[in-house]
Every structure is written in structure tokens, then in C-alpha cells.
Amino acid sequence: LAESEMHTARFYLKRKTYVSALNRARWVLENYPQTPQTPEALAMVTWLMDMQGVRISAADDPDDLIAQVLHHL
């Protein structure tokens, strides 16, 4: 399911429907945080948030970074 969501997020990203892509990638982080798709979802969410002017500080622990990202959404 996580890969399907990321496939859809990539589709939205190519079509420049950034809010939809953000929502799909965020869903992966919230519901499947321990899947192989998590790094891609995290990268997509942080990049899209950066485009909107929301800055996320780097974290050593990926779980901390996911928590920071979800806190800002």
C-alpha cells in the first residue's frame, strides 16, 4: 500500500499538483513509517514544505525528523 501511495504522489508531483503529492507522501509517513518508501516520502514532504517556506531542521534520528515534519503539517 505504501508503494501505491508513493506512486500516486510521484504522479501528482509530475503534474505539479503539490498539495495532493504532499498529502499522499504524508499519509505514508503517518501510516507506514517503517516501510522502504519512508525515505522517499520524507524527502518529498520536506522538499514540498521547503517550497512553501516551511523550514525543517536536520535531525540525526529519522524518527525525530518524521516527528518534526508531521508536527508542521
Side-chain angles (χ1 to χ4, degrees):
L1 290 175
E3 178 54 38
S4 176
E5 291 296 320
M6 288 308 301
H7 178 75
T8 305
R10 289 188 293 274
F11 171 82
Y12 285 139
L13 196 59
K14 286 180 186 177
R15 303 304 183 273
K16 297 184 180 181
T17 52
Y18 298 125
V19 173
S20 298
L22 177 67
N23 287 335
R24 293 293 181 139
R26 184 189 70 193
W27 190 88
V28 171
L29 294 176
E30 290 175 347
N31 295 292
Y32 295 103
Q34 302 299 325
T35 60
Q37 290 74 24
T38 298
E40 180 186 7
L42 189 56
M44 186 180 292
V45 167
T46 54
W47 182 73
L48 290 167
M49 290 175 66
D50 185 55
M51 284 181 53
Q52 296 177 357
V54 178
R55 303 287 185 235
I56 303 295
S57 62
D60 293 331
D61 183 15
D63 291 332
D64 289 341
L65 186 56
I66 291 171
Q68 285 183 43
V69 167
L70 294 177
H71 172 74
H72 287 295
L73 296 176

